[in-house]
Amino acid sequence: MKIVIAGGGTAGWLSALFLAKQNLHRDIPAYDITLIESDDIPIIGAGEGSTGVLQKVLLSTLTELKGFGEKEFFENCNTTFKLGIDCIDWNGVGDRFFESLSGTQTSEWPLDRDFTICSKYGKAADSTANKYLWEKNLTPFLEKQNADNVEPGYAYHFDAHKVGEWFKKIALENGIKLQKGTITDTKLDSKNGELDKVILSDGTEIESDFWIDCTGFNRVLSKSVGSEWVSYSEYLPINSALVYSHQYEEGEEISPATTAWAMPNGWMWQIPTQERLGCGYCYSDKFVSEEQALKELQEVTGRKITPLRTIKFDSGRLKEVWKKNVLSIGLSSSFLEPLEATSIHSSIIQLVQLTQHHLSPYKEDMMRESNIKANNEHFNMMLDEFRALIQMHYITKRDDTPFWKYVHNDLKRDPLVERILEICEYRVPNANDFPHYNGAASWGVFNWILAGNDLISKEILDKSLNTHNFENQSEQVYKHMVKQFGFDAKQHFPHTEFIGWVKDFSKKEKENLDNSK
């Protein structure tokens, strides 16, 4: 079967890698895969973060592909570790909490004992090892341990441009064909409405059995088959992002965490890559102009900032992410806010679902209505949950600006948010209160926000501990966790030192390669 991917960048070339794996260990390839890449369309963003699903891709899912792995990812993509999100000023100026990528040891219990005890005695994140590593700027790697044997619960920051180029290199080495050009027109089959061919600016016509749309906000292929957009704007208040970057100061440490800093009219992100910080200000243009947003940034950071670009968007998703013979992935399929790295997460989950459950060399099987419907229902459930996850960040005490007053008083509540907040009125939520499916956010992500924004009162924490008979041991358990996690953290490799080692190693490898030519 012939498959064409429209668009490069992270989503396009990642799609190519997942499809390339499907041809491994076959005498005759089952799929003829071509990617159309346009030099006229830039990649969005200079710094990007991921969730833990990318770790699984690098350490297991795609490791059979020649040249692909975590070591190479660090060497080629300005990669750094991500242990969580440092959330600043969300529940009021001066407030701060940490969202860990590592769950607690009791997260699946009827009551997450460790989370509840630490929320009562200190901070919720005291219940996870990542908080201690982040505070001391350490990596998940132990100093006296093989890099192959690492603790779980981490993700990555990286340069999106370099990732796209590295994915491209690996894909081309593993049988993917490249067609350069910009799509200027599409032609549908008059009988069934499927996408039949695309026409490039130089007149080249390309046909395919199945298409993957990775053309970003342009959504060239999905629009051609009539895919409709479902807006989340009544639930999420942000519609603009001012993107910029800046270099590290001399001696500045490279943090193993994303910074999400609440601002007067939205929030600012800072993503530490090896070479620089990739940054942006997500704001609502209903409350602030681009010029005022830039002024706010410069006042908060104390830096002169030169914007790279400003992006306008309507947060939401496609009603049918797979329609006819077109599947949209990445920004073509959906866009929320960068707050929880949902874009690359959802792209990976889509590709896992496609290749493990829906893809077939036999088009008549793949195009069954039940197959398409199952894919779309899974995707819609995931994105709707992410909508609730992001909105939960905005359920705070802040009402110090017109923007925060609107969010506090008038923003429409997501149904899942309302249900979880109602549970918080009488007990601490648990894992069973959230949907379970491949790619779900679930309790182990929501919990940090609920605690950080003081959405679970001390009274409810005490009540839940008493209900589950943990009250008498609470203080002892808390002291033990703090002592043990603090001790364990001392054995881990420093993050800035590790990144320096990666850069030196990469430089020496490049010099050796140049000398051998």
Side-chain angles (χ1 to χ4, degrees), residues 108-380:
E108 297 299 316
W109 291 15
L111 174 70
D112 189 339
R113 183 200 65 180
D114 292 358
F115 165 84
T116 307
I117 289 174
C118 287
S119 296
K120 173 182 176 177
Y121 283 95
K123 295 286 187 181
D126 288 347
S127 59
T128 173
N130 280 18
K131 181 255 191 182
Y132 301 82
L133 300 179
W134 162 65
E135 285 184 330
K136 298 183 183 298
N137 204 55
L138 302 171
T139 73
F141 293 159
L142 296 175
E143 286 192 296
K144 298 179 181 180
Q145 184 184 40
N146 256 324
D148 291 330
N149 301 314
V150 299
E151 292 186 6
Y154 67 88
Y156 313 97
H157 306 112
F158 49 86
D159 186 319
H161 295 276
K162 289 184 177 292
V163 164
E165 287 302 307
W166 184 61
F167 284 172
K168 174 180 178 178
K169 175 178 178 292
I170 303 300
L172 295 179
E173 290 174 352
N174 285 275
I176 302 299
K177 301 172 186 175
L178 173 62
Q179 172 70 55
K180 284 287 189 177
T182 301
I183 297 172
T184 55
D185 199 5
T186 57
K187 298 294 182 184
L188 303 183
D189 187 310
S190 58
K191 295 179 181 177
N192 57 25
E194 291 185 356
L195 181 59
D196 184 37
K197 67 176 69 171
V198 298
I199 302 170
L200 306 185
S201 55
D202 64 358
T204 301
E205 296 186 359
I206 299 175
E207 298 180 348
S208 183
D209 299 306
F210 187 73
W211 305 81
I212 296 180
D213 188 348
C214 297
T215 60
F217 290 145
N218 293 323
R219 303 186 180 96
V220 175
L221 305 190
S222 61
K223 286 179 179 177
S224 73
V225 293
S227 297
E228 299 176 34
W229 186 251
V230 176
S231 176
Y232 287 168
S233 59
E234 61 181 340
Y235 297 102
L236 301 178
I238 299 301
N239 63 7
S240 306
L242 189 156
V243 182
Y244 67 101
S245 66
H246 59 73
Q247 302 299 315
Y248 292 113
E249 304 286 351
E250 179 141 6
E252 183 176 356
E253 288 195 326
I254 302 174
S255 173
T258 300
T259 297
W261 195 329
M263 298 281 285
N265 293 286
W267 64 280
M268 169 182 62
W269 80 81
Q270 292 184 340
I271 293 178
T273 69
Q274 291 180 24
E275 302 294 339
R276 62 182 180 274
L277 286 163
C279 310
Y281 183 4
C282 285
Y283 63 91
S284 169
D285 64 11
K286 296 177 182 177
F287 295 91
V288 66
S289 66
E290 182 178 341
E291 293 74 18
Q292 181 61 32
L294 178 59
K295 184 179 178 182
E296 288 176 5
L297 272 176
Q298 294 181 148
E299 288 174 351
V300 169
T301 62
R303 300 176 185 262
K304 178 175 172 52
I305 291 170
T306 303
L308 298 174
R309 68 186 67 85
T310 298
I311 304 166
K312 299 291 185 179
F313 58 87
D314 175 21
S315 60
R317 60 168 171 80
L318 290 176
K319 183 178 180 180
E320 297 170 282
V321 72
W322 180 348
K323 186 163 185 176
K324 300 296 184 180
N325 60 339
V326 174
L327 173 65
S328 297
I329 290 178
L331 298 180
S332 297
S333 69
S334 60
F335 186 76
L336 280 68
E337 300 174 21
L339 195 50
E340 291 285 347
T342 56
S343 184
I344 192 168
H345 177 100
S346 61
S347 296
I348 291 171
I349 296 301
Q350 276 187 277
L351 289 165
V352 169
Q353 291 296 113
L354 173 67
T355 54
Q356 294 185 3
H357 302 289
H358 306 301
L359 188 67
S360 171
Y362 309 102
K363 185 178 177 182
E364 64 273 18
D365 294 338
M366 189 170 168
M367 295 304 297
R368 285 179 178 271
E369 189 60 36
S370 59
N371 194 43
I372 297 172
K373 182 180 178 182
N375 178 86
N376 290 343
E377 287 178 347
H378 178 275
F379 179 80
N380 293 348

Side-chain angles (χ1 to χ4, degrees), residues 349 378 381-386 434-442:
I349 296 301
H378 178 275
M381 177 170 57
M382 179 170 62
L383 266 291
D384 288 351
E385 186 186 5
F386 290 165
F434 296 84
H436 288 72
Y437 56 91
N438 184 28
S442 72

Side-chain angles (χ1 to χ4, degrees), residues 387-404:
R387 180 185 70 193
L389 176 66
I390 290 175
Q391 190 187 79
M392 195 69 82
H393 279 274
Y394 291 97
I395 310 301
T396 81
K397 297 174 182 174
R398 286 198 68 160
D399 63 353
D400 53 310
T401 67
F403 169 80
W404 286 105

